[in-house]
Amino acid sequence: MNVGSVYGFPVRVGLFPVHLDKLLEEKRKAPPNRVKVEALNTKCGGVNLRPFVDSTGMFLRILGVILIGLSAWAFSAIRPPAPKICGSVGGPPITAPRITLRDGRHLAYKEYGVSGTVAKYKIIYVHGFSNCRLNAAVAVFPSPGFLEELGVYVVSFDKPGYGESDPHPKQIVESLALDIEELGDQLGLGPKFYVIGLSMGGQAVWGCLKYIPHRLAGASLLAPVVNYWWPSFPANLSNEVFSSQLPQDQWTQWVAHHLPWLTYWWNTQKFFPSLSILAGRRDIYSSQDIEIIRTSARPVDRGYVSQQGHFESFHRALMIGFGKWEFDPMLLENIFPKNEGSVHLWQGDEDKLVPVKLQRYIAQKLPWIHYHELAGAGHIFAFTTKISEEIVRSLLLQ
């Protein structure tokens, strides 16, 4: 028998059916595409399959184009736009005093009360989720002359990405604590100062207790936002409280924790409702909160707060606040073992944004914290004259 080859392997011609021998011979003579089509035609009884093969190829090409288009759309949808940096071309103007941090970022701040050079007490205030340096509760809401009478200096700053402070794409809980320490150093606040944080700002206070305890003279957390994934929470308790939140808030927090790279898309898409506070829902506030907003709270210019972009302000705060923390606050040790200072946690028992059950558990786990539970209070109790003054007195004079 004659010896031929199939794909480089030697075979004996005549060991295959006649039509296959012919096919092998045609493969050597015909162009590649024609061989494939003619082979199909031969096996299918001479039916012309070229139109089918051509249409299949066209379909695959169209499908490929569609997939590429969908991929491009998805990438564009989940990728946040570049922030509008204050002072840059096309960005918002710089109107506030700012310090330059060691990494070159700028931090905007505002001072209240007496001068830092003569102050008896020096406080750094950390604002909440949808506020900025202009909404320092313990500086804005006390009665006129209150801070001066006690000799109190307060400085409030815009967290990275808020107001006029530069964004920090690599921000974590620790980095914000170090920003606070550097702010104190550059403003000459001395070796020790007090920190007060409201809501999301309360999480920054946990960071200070962890990373710069040696710089603290005292600390107050005002309705601090909790992270349902802190390891020390019993699973049944955290699940119960998490499930009591609005479904849209549950989804937003779940995405921020498990799929942080989808946070921008989730909070800008229109298919499902996003975070309730950004959507402007009033049912997230207690009756006391609504009364405070109606009668005494100063209006918050949310456009100014997020003028550099929602992602580097609101969305970044969600990813940090509900993300994977570097430490568990409930494992912290008392930084004032000789009572040379104190740590306070304030919570309203009708707060619909931060469940009181979890704050009670934290207070039980950390008995060295002075826990103040306010009957009938909601989330923004600090935005009143009476409570804001009590917060300051308890921290400085107790």
Side-chain angles (χ1 to χ4, degrees):
M1 293 184 180
N2 296 328
V3 178
S5 67
V6 178
Y7 299 109
F9 294 95
V11 296
R12 292 181 179 178
V13 179
L15 292 180
F16 299 96
V18 174
H19 70 273
L20 185 54
D21 283 339
K22 292 181 179 179
L23 178 60
L24 294 174
E25 181 65 24
E26 291 174 357
K27 176 197 178 294
R28 288 189 285 269
K29 297 179 180 179
N33 290 340
R34 183 179 177 183
V35 170
K36 294 179 181 178
V37 174
E38 294 303 331
L40 288 172
N41 289 345
T42 302
K43 291 182 178 181
C44 295
V47 177
N48 185 12
L49 297 179
R50 182 176 291 278
F52 172 77
V53 173
D54 290 345
S55 62
T56 300
M58 180 62 71
F59 171 76
L60 292 176
R61 286 193 291 270
I62 293 174
L63 180 61
V65 171
I66 291 174
L67 291 176
I68 292 173
L70 288 175
S71 299
W73 172 84
F75 180 75
S76 175
I78 66 175
R79 184 183 184 185
K84 300 177 180 178
I85 307 296
C86 287
S88 65
V89 177
I94 299 172
T95 63
R98 309 197 302 177
I99 64 167
T100 302
L101 299 169
R102 62 174 64 90
D103 62 2
R105 289 181 297 113
H106 298 92
L107 214 61
Y109 65 92
K110 181 176 177 58
E111 298 170 298
Y112 304 85
V114 302
S115 168
T117 59
V118 300
K120 185 177 180 181
Y121 307 103
K122 301 170 184 179
I123 300 173
I124 296 180
Y125 179 88
V126 192
H127 65 77
F129 178 73
S130 58
N131 299 155
C132 67
R133 71 186 188 284
L134 305 177
N135 310 114
V138 298
V140 174
F141 290 96
S143 54
F146 173 78
L147 297 178
E148 290 76 8
E149 180 182 344
L150 294 180
V152 177
Y153 164 91
V154 177
V155 60
S156 177
F157 68 99
D158 290 334
K159 292 188 293 185
Y162 279 80
E164 297 184 31
S165 287
D166 291 343
H168 188 192
K170 297 181 180 180
Q171 183 185 173
I172 56 177
V173 178
E174 180 181 11
S175 69
L176 185 54
L178 297 180
D179 285 353
I180 291 172
E181 180 179 34
E182 191 169 354
L183 175 67
D185 288 339
Q186 292 205 30
L187 295 181
L189 303 190
K192 289 183 180 290
F193 46 79
Y194 297 86
V195 290
I196 299 178
L198 170 68
S199 190
M200 279 285 195
Q203 293 189 330
V205 176
W206 287 123
C208 291
L209 291 170
K210 170 66 175 180
Y211 295 111
I212 57 168
H214 57 288
R215 302 302 303 275
L216 303 183
S220 286
L221 304 95
L222 315 180
V225 172
V226 296
N227 184 316
Y228 299 96
W229 292 273
W230 285 340
S232 290
F233 281 136
N236 61 334
L237 177 62
S238 59
N239 289 338
E240 173 196 344
V241 177
F242 182 75
S243 300
S244 69
Q245 300 295 291
L246 291 173
Q248 64 197 83
D249 291 348
Q250 294 180 42
W251 276 107
T252 300
Q253 294 161 9
W254 189 93
V255 168
H257 182 80
H258 294 286
L259 303 171
W261 50 274
L262 273 182
T263 300
Y264 171 75
W265 175 80
W266 180 261
N267 286 280
T268 54
Q269 52 79 32
K270 306 300 180 185
F271 303 105
F272 307 99
S274 57
L275 192 68
S276 59
I277 192 170
L278 293 180
R281 291 189 56 162
R282 292 182 66 85
D283 56 345
I284 61 175
Y285 296 109
S286 71
S287 57
Q288 188 201 63
D289 288 336
I290 294 174
E291 183 64 15
I292 291 173
I293 293 172
R294 187 183 69 84
T295 60
S296 63
R298 276 67 165 177
V300 175
D301 185 353
R302 192 173 289 176
Y304 175 79
V305 169
S306 61
Q307 64 179 345
Q308 299 184 82
H310 280 201
F311 180 75
E312 288 297 347
S313 52
F314 301 148
H315 303 168
R316 180 76 62 191
L318 291 172
M319 291 189 292
I320 296 171
F322 297 107
K324 295 176 174 62
W325 277 41
E326 311 98 276
F327 68 97
D328 184 344
M330 283 168 279
L331 298 181
L332 292 174
E333 297 181 355
N334 184 7
I335 66 171
F336 302 118
K338 298 179 181 179
N339 294 322
E340 64 273 33
S342 58
V343 179
H344 300 255
L345 196 160
W346 296 73
Q347 177 68 35
D349 67 353
E350 293 186 7
D351 191 333
K352 294 184 178 181
L353 289 169
V354 181
V356 67
K357 280 188 176 182
L358 295 184
Q359 303 290 31
R360 290 169 179 166
Y361 186 83
I362 292 173
Q364 292 173 1
K365 292 285 288 183
L366 303 175
W368 45 268
I369 285 183
H370 299 264
Y371 180 59
H372 310 260
E373 186 170 306
L374 305 175
H379 189 65
I380 57 173
F381 54 81
F383 286 11
T384 62
T385 298
K386 180 176 183 294
I387 300 300
S388 63
E389 292 182 357
E390 287 183 11
I391 291 169
V392 173
R393 286 196 183 95
S394 69
L395 178 61
L396 304 181
L397 305 180
Q398 181 168 324

